[in-house]
């Protein structure tokens, strides 16, 4: 059963109704459910389907392609090149029954080996043959987890495939609401606070959620997923980055810097210094690809020069790996259960909740009643002046109706209390933003919390509230 994905399913099925042949790329983070979505949508009925071989040589890739042709009913020898491989595919298609022919090539980036000229052969197949067929009956769906490869080789290609894609679907992780539906479908007895905590660890990655066991608490489930000797996701971190990037070392250096660095994030210059990587195009490419894959985010405000952009680690699972999994120095199989009340746990919760909020901005806007208002969603920071302390605001919603929402995000087991010291910090943020930003809108303070805010003498600083339940809101999910 597919949870959510109604829009993506509709778009895939609409390919069958088009008069021309269609070329669709489906991409997104590893384990997000791309392959499952495509196979379920077409009920596993394909004229041809193939999956690339992870870290395979050209010979291994071509052998696997031949095997897929054999599975589809065609007997042939191992092709010598991708040009030959696609010639065999043409022959198979020509011998297939009349009607739409859905071709599904999964993990296409893995097939792109050095000197293999996969893209050239694919261009020749699509431009020179598939689109030239009188029948107009080809539906080619390619898929891959290496988002940066898909972007560079297909979406932004400057060669023969430029502008040839008819559809592109970037499959996003599940929202909180979709994870709640997933849990209910799996008969997991979870309250929303449980779903939220699991989301702060697993993100909206269906594959990770599929390992949760009925009858276990959240802490027990996390222990069995990550900390026991036979934990299903014990080695997931290394696999995640090595599959996405052919040379993951530099990517991991950046990720590690951001996990060890300031909670507020780091500038490009700070990352260069800390990582000890060389400045230049390669470094910029690493940052761009990490951002494109959803592991980090770069933010500036409208009145801040790009040179001062801040980079933050945004991926839930990666944040959890560095802040929690790597702290398990003694290999405690019950580490999560034993550290629930620790300072480390509380620090992680605060950061992780902020990330979840940033992944649910549509729900926040819907709660504020501004879904239909044109907005600029950004962050803002200042190093401060002699008169004003430095300040950072992770979520700023600049609205076309003359207001700007400054959002403060706080995780708390109970209703959050604004005390005297925290009220001063809030007032400084508001004052700094009003004085130092170029925003002339009326500024509203919005508190985004798990369980609301205590109505004490400092509550009047707040103009609006957003709670955990609002983040689950279906009307904007």
């Amino acid at each position: 059963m597919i949870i959510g994905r109604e829009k993506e399913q509709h778009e895939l099925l609409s390919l069958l109704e088009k008069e021309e042949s269609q070329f669709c790329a489906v991409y997104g983070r590893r384990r997000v459910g791309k392959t499952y979505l495509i196979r379920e949508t077409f009920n596993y009925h394909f004229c041809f389907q193939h999956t690339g071989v992870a870290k395979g040589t050209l010979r291994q890739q071509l052998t696997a392609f031949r095997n897929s042709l054999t599975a589809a009913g065609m007997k042939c020898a191992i092709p010598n090149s991708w040009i030959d491989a696609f010639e065999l595919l043409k022959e198979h298609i020509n011998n297939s029954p009349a009607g739409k022919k859905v071709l599904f090539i999964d993990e296409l980036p893995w097939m792109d080996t050095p000197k293999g000229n996969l893209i050239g052969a694919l261009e020749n197949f699509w431009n020179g043959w598939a689109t030239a067929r009188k029948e107009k009956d080809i539906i080619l769906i390619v898929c891959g987890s290496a988002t940066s490869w898909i972007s560079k080789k297909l979406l932004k290609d400057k060669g023969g495939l430029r502008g040839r894609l008819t559809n592109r679907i970037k499959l996003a992780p599940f929202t909180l609401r979709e994870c709640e539906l997933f849990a209910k479908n799996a008969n997991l007895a979870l309250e929303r606070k449980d779903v939220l905590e699991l989301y702060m660890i697993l993100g909206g990655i269906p594959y990770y959620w599929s390992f949760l066991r009925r009858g276990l608490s959240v802490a027990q489930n996390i222990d069995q997923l990550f900390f026991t000797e036979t934990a299903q996701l014990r080695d997931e971190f290394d696999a995640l980055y090595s599959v996405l990037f052919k040379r993951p070392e530099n990517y991991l250096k950046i990720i590690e810097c951001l996990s060890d660095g300031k909670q507020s994030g780091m500038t490009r210059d700070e990352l260069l210094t800390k990582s000890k990587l060389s400045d230049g195009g390669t470094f910029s490419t690493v940052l761009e690809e990490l951002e494109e894959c959803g592991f980090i985010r770069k933010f500036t405000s409208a009145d801040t020069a790009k040179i001062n952009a801040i980079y933050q680690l945004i991926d839930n699972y990666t944040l959890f790996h560095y802040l929690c999994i790597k702290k398990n120095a003694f290999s405690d199989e019950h580490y999560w259960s034993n550290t629930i009340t620790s300072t480390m746990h509380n620090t992680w919760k605060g950061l992780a909740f902020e990330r979840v909020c940033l992944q649910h901005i549509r729900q926040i806007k819907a709660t504020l009643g501004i879904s239909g208002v044109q907005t600029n969603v950004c962050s803002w920071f200042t190093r401060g002046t002699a008169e004003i302390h430095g300040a950072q605001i992770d979520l700023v919603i600049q609205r076309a109706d003359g207001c700007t929402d400054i959002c403060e995000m706080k995780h708390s087991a109970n209703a959050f209390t604004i005390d005297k010291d925290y009220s001063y910090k809030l007032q400084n943020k508001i004052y700094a933003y009003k004085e130092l930003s170029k925003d002339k809108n009326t500024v509203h303070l919005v508190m985004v919390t798990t369980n609301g805010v205590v109505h004490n003498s400092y509550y009047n600083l707040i103009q609006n509230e957003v709670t955990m339940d609002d983040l689950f809101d279906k009307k904007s999910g």
Side-chain angles (χ1 to χ4, degrees):
M1 175 182 176
I2 295 181
I3 302 296
R5 311 304 196 199
E6 293 89 355
K7 178 182 177 182
E8 292 83 359
Q9 278 195 290
H10 180 269
E11 187 167 351
L12 285 171
L13 290 173
S14 71
L15 299 175
L16 297 169
E17 302 169 2
K18 303 292 178 62
E19 294 183 2
E20 301 293 325
S21 289
Q22 301 292 301
F23 185 1
C24 176
V26 180
Y27 58 106
R29 187 191 188 283
R30 173 176 158 87
R31 312 291 203 187
V32 80
K34 302 179 295 298
T35 303
Y36 181 76
L37 168 68
I38 295 166
R39 287 176 175 168
E40 286 287 316
T41 298
F42 291 100
N43 198 26
Y44 296 79
H45 292 155
F46 302 103
C47 174
F48 173 76
Q49 64 174 318
H50 172 68
T51 301
V53 180
K55 300 186 182 300
T57 63
L58 176 59
R59 179 68 175 176
Q60 290 170 331
Q61 301 291 353
L62 292 169
T63 300
F65 197 86
R66 186 279 310 270
N67 294 343
S68 294
L69 285 167
T70 301
M74 181 182 186
K75 293 183 178 180
C76 57
I78 299 171
N80 294 316
S81 67
W82 282 118
I83 288 288
D84 292 342
F86 281 105
E87 285 298 319
L88 291 171
L89 179 57
K90 293 177 191 178
E91 183 180 341
H92 169 67
I93 292 170
N94 284 330
N95 292 330
S96 298
K100 294 289 186 180
K101 297 168 179 60
V102 182
L103 317 176
F104 175 33
I105 301 180
D106 199 5
E107 297 298 356
L108 181 68
W110 292 353
M111 297 161 59
D112 187 21
T113 58
K115 300 181 180 180
N117 195 26
L118 171 69
I119 292 299
L122 181 60
E123 288 176 7
N124 179 265
F125 169 78
W126 183 254
N127 296 339
W129 186 80
T131 58
R133 282 172 62 84
K134 181 179 178 180
E135 294 83 359
K136 313 291 185 185
D137 57 354
I138 305 297
I139 297 172
L140 174 59
I141 302 172
V142 299
C143 185
S145 298
T147 304
S148 57
W149 187 97
I150 295 284
S151 176
K152 181 166 54 176
K153 297 295 182 75
L154 295 182
L155 306 184
K156 301 176 182 177
D157 180 66
K158 296 180 180 179
L161 289 178
R162 183 177 180 85
R164 294 296 184 173
L165 283 178
T166 57
N167 297 75
R168 58 183 71 183
I169 299 173
K170 185 173 184 178
L171 198 62
F174 278 168
T175 61
L176 279 167
R177 174 178 173 266
E178 288 167 334
C179 285
E180 184 178 45
L181 291 174
F182 187 99
K184 287 181 179 178
N185 187 62
N187 295 314
L188 299 170
L190 299 173
E191 298 296 328
R192 281 190 165 175
K193 64 179 179 62
D194 302 322
V195 175
L196 175 62
E197 181 164 353
L198 287 167
Y199 197 94
M200 292 193 298
I201 297 168
L202 306 176
I205 308 303
Y207 177 79
Y208 298 164
W209 285 76
S210 68
F211 289 116
L212 296 174
R213 296 181 187 172
R214 296 171 58 190
L216 298 183
S217 67
V218 170
Q220 288 174 317
N221 259 307
I222 296 307
D223 281 335
Q224 65 93 15
L225 278 178
F226 296 103
F227 299 109
T228 63
E229 187 175 351
T230 58
Q232 292 96 330
L233 299 179
R234 190 181 183 96
D235 301 318
E236 172 64 13
F237 183 80
D238 291 336
L240 175 62
Y241 285 87
S242 63
V243 166
L244 288 178
F245 308 110
K246 290 185 177 179
R247 296 178 180 84
E249 296 81 11
N250 289 345
Y251 297 86
L252 287 171
K253 284 181 182 178
I254 297 297
I255 291 292
E256 189 162 357
C257 287
L258 291 174
S259 71
D260 290 342
K262 299 175 292 184
Q263 295 177 7
S264 59
M266 302 176 73
T267 65
R268 189 180 191 279
D269 286 343
E270 289 171 338
L271 281 171
L272 277 169
T273 300
K274 190 172 179 64
S275 68
K276 298 181 180 178
L277 294 173
S278 300
D279 195 0
T282 300
F283 184 79
S284 297
T285 298
V286 169
L287 290 176
E288 289 169 6
E289 292 186 353
L290 284 172
E291 184 180 6
E292 194 151 18
C293 290
F295 291 111
I296 68 175
R297 72 163 184 152
K298 178 179 74 172
F299 66 88
T300 59
S301 58
D303 57 358
T304 304
K306 287 185 178 180
I307 196 171
N308 291 322
I310 291 286
Y311 293 88
Q312 270 187 336
L313 178 59
I314 192 71
D315 182 65
N316 305 54
Y317 166 66
T318 302
L319 184 73
F320 176 72
H321 174 84
Y322 278 103
L323 292 187
C324 303
I325 294 177
K326 290 193 72 174
K327 305 293 184 183
N328 186 23
F330 299 103
S331 300
D332 180 2
E333 292 199 344
H334 305 286
Y335 180 74
W336 202 240
S337 299
N338 292 335
T339 57
I340 284 177
T341 59
S342 67
T343 301
M344 175 277 299
H345 193 102
N346 289 330
T347 299
W348 162 78
K349 272 189 173 181
L351 288 173
F353 181 68
E354 289 178 6
R355 273 44 176 184
V356 173
C357 293
L358 294 172
Q359 293 155 359
H360 289 78
I361 290 172
R362 282 188 300 170
Q363 288 78 2
I364 292 173
K365 288 176 62 176
T367 303
L368 297 175
I370 57 171
S371 293
V373 178
Q374 184 179 0
T375 60
N376 175 41
V377 178
C378 59
S379 298
W380 184 84
F381 63 95
T382 179
R383 302 298 185 190
T385 67
E387 295 78 24
I388 301 174
H389 293 298
Q392 176 167 325
I393 305 166
D394 279 347
L395 178 55
V396 177
I397 305 175
Q398 298 171 331
R399 297 157 41 176
D401 62 359
C403 290
T404 291
D405 295 310
I406 290 177
C407 300
E408 276 287 295
M409 298 163 281
K410 291 294 179 182
H411 185 283
S412 178
N414 302 303
F416 182 76
T417 300
I418 299 175
D419 58 20
K420 184 177 180 180
D421 289 342
Y422 188 58
S423 72
Y424 285 150
K425 292 180 181 179
L426 291 175
Q427 290 177 69
N428 178 72
K429 284 190 178 187
I430 296 170
Y431 181 69
Y433 185 81
K434 286 181 176 180
E435 292 295 312
L436 302 179
S437 78
K438 296 178 181 179
D439 191 345
K440 302 305 179 184
N441 281 353
T442 301
V443 176
H444 287 175
L445 175 63
V446 177
M447 291 298 297
V448 186
T449 64
T450 42
N451 297 292
V453 181
V454 173
H455 287 231
N456 60 12
S457 58
Y458 301 109
Y459 183 82
N460 60 5
L461 288 170
I462 302 169
Q463 294 296 316
N464 276 300
E465 280 191 68
V466 178
T467 67
M468 171 180 64
D469 285 339
D470 296 321
L471 299 180
F472 283 82
D473 193 354
K474 67 180 181 180
K475 64 176 177 283
S476 57

